[in-house]
Amino acid sequence: MKNLFSIMVVTVLFVNCEAQKKTIPQKPKLVIVKPPQIKNKTACGNEEVNFKRSDSWYNERYINKNAKFYDVNFSKKISFVKKVYSINNDILYYKNKKVDSLRIYYQQNENIELIVYVIKGKPRGYTINTNYNPRPSMYSVSYDQKDNISYNFIEKNIFLPKGNGILKNYYYSEWDGKSQKYSNEVLKEEGEVKNNFKFGEWKYYNKEGKIDSTKIYILKDSVDIRFPHCLFNKNEPCY
């Protein structure tokens, strides 16, 4: 009888437990899915890209090899750069392989440095640092996904939709070193651009604002205004 009574008690308890389980609804568990944490380096504009490589170039025509701020031992001369790099259909190649992501430090002369951003083979723009101005620089050139070009100076901004329009390029302002004042931006060159190439009559000015020279371009001159495209210009490379 004791065994039978024990079995009945256990059965009653089991039924009660099952009844409680059914009458008390269970709250669903809240599952929080966290997005993966990706650390990126800022490229140009608001883009964020992890640059896989960095490279340093310098213009050997205007660089003082004894200058302390620039180590030519770890940099490539432009004459060498043109042997290993090339541009085809606006895509930058290194030894015939498309460049994936690359940040280029280019010392144009002793006073000017460009930091160029290449994303999926296409140059996306560059910032311009000058020795006599504070950093970060207020000068930049950018190319968007629609191939529009924007030139950003301190006082002037030039926009070339799809690489077409009138380009006015300026000498860089100089900072007084004390206040927020900069010297006035003086016109350096101006002319028409067609599909990223200089076209028609171009005027070139000295720092006093007077015309130094003029030149007429036709499209076969292959003078691309973009960088690093202009390194590979046939008749008028920018180095």
Side-chain angles (χ1 to χ4, degrees):
M1 292 292 292
K2 290 184 178 179
N3 290 338
L4 179 61
F5 178 78
S6 299
I7 293 172
M8 292 175 64
V9 171
V10 171
T11 302
V12 170
L13 291 174
F14 177 78
V15 170
N16 288 337
C17 289
E18 288 299 309
Q20 290 178 1
K21 287 182 181 179
K22 291 180 181 179
T23 56
I24 300 175
Q26 298 294 315
K27 293 183 179 180
K29 292 183 179 180
L30 181 62
V31 179
I32 301 175
V33 179
K34 294 183 179 180
Q37 298 296 316
I38 302 174
K39 293 182 179 180
N40 292 322
K41 298 178 182 179
T42 301
C44 47
N46 293 322
E47 298 269 357
E48 288 191 347
V49 173
N50 280 320
F51 288 99
K52 295 180 180 178
R53 292 183 59 245
S54 291
D55 205 357
S56 294
W57 304 351
Y58 74 97
N59 185 349
E60 63 267 33
R61 294 186 183 181
Y62 301 102
I63 294 297
N64 176 7
K65 293 184 178 181
N66 295 322
K68 295 181 180 179
F69 60 84
Y70 197 75
D71 192 347
V72 297
N73 294 322
F74 296 96
S75 305
K76 298 180 178 68
K77 297 179 181 180
I78 291 302
S79 57
F80 177 77
V81 167
K82 292 182 67 174
K83 294 179 181 179
V84 294
Y85 284 92
S86 61
I87 284 186
N88 187 13
N89 293 327
D90 292 337
I91 300 296
L92 183 66
Y93 291 85
Y94 177 73
K95 293 183 177 180
N96 298 322
K97 293 183 179 180
K98 184 174 77 172
V99 173
D100 184 9
S101 62
L102 175 68
R103 180 168 43 198
I104 302 166
Y105 297 92
Y106 170 58
Q107 196 71 34
Q108 182 171 310
N109 54 46
E110 293 184 9
N111 295 316
I112 298 174
E113 175 195 52
L114 307 184
I115 305 177
V116 187
Y117 309 104
V118 181
I119 304 170
K120 294 182 179 179
K122 291 199 72 170
R124 294 295 302 276
Y126 54 91
T127 56
I128 306 160
N129 291 319
T130 60
N131 284 348
Y132 40 78
N133 286 343
R135 300 188 186 194
S137 176
M138 284 178 276
Y139 297 108
S140 66
V141 180
S142 60
Y143 320 121
D144 66 17
Q145 296 284 7
K146 297 180 179 179
D147 296 325
N148 301 316
I149 305 177
S150 298
Y151 285 80
N152 303 301
F153 298 90
I154 294 178
E155 298 177 350
K156 312 290 184 179
N157 292 291
I158 308 297
F159 180 70
L160 301 177
K162 294 188 178 298
N164 294 279
I166 301 299
L167 173 59
K168 292 186 177 182
N169 209 352
Y170 295 84
Y171 290 102
Y172 303 123
S173 299
E174 293 190 31
W175 181 48
D176 64 5
K178 298 178 181 179
S179 64
Q180 295 296 318
K181 293 183 179 179
Y182 289 79
S183 62
N184 293 329
E185 291 172 335
V186 178
L187 186 62
K188 183 178 181 180
E189 59 179 355
E190 64 177 336
E192 185 179 1
V193 176
K194 281 190 175 183
N195 298 324
N196 306 312
F197 290 88
K198 290 184 177 181
F199 182 77
E201 183 181 57
W202 273 66
K203 298 177 182 178
Y204 296 90
Y205 300 83
N206 58 29
K207 289 188 176 182
E208 284 69 44
K210 298 180 180 179
I211 295 179
D212 261 351
S213 62
T214 61
K215 186 173 180 178
I216 296 177
Y217 293 91
I218 56 178
L219 291 182
K220 71 176 184 180
D221 288 335
S222 298
V223 179
D224 197 322
I225 62 170
R226 297 168 296 174
F227 191 93
H229 301 68
C230 60
L231 292 176
F232 306 94
N233 286 338
K234 297 176 181 178
N235 300 322
E236 195 176 309
C238 53
Y239 69 98

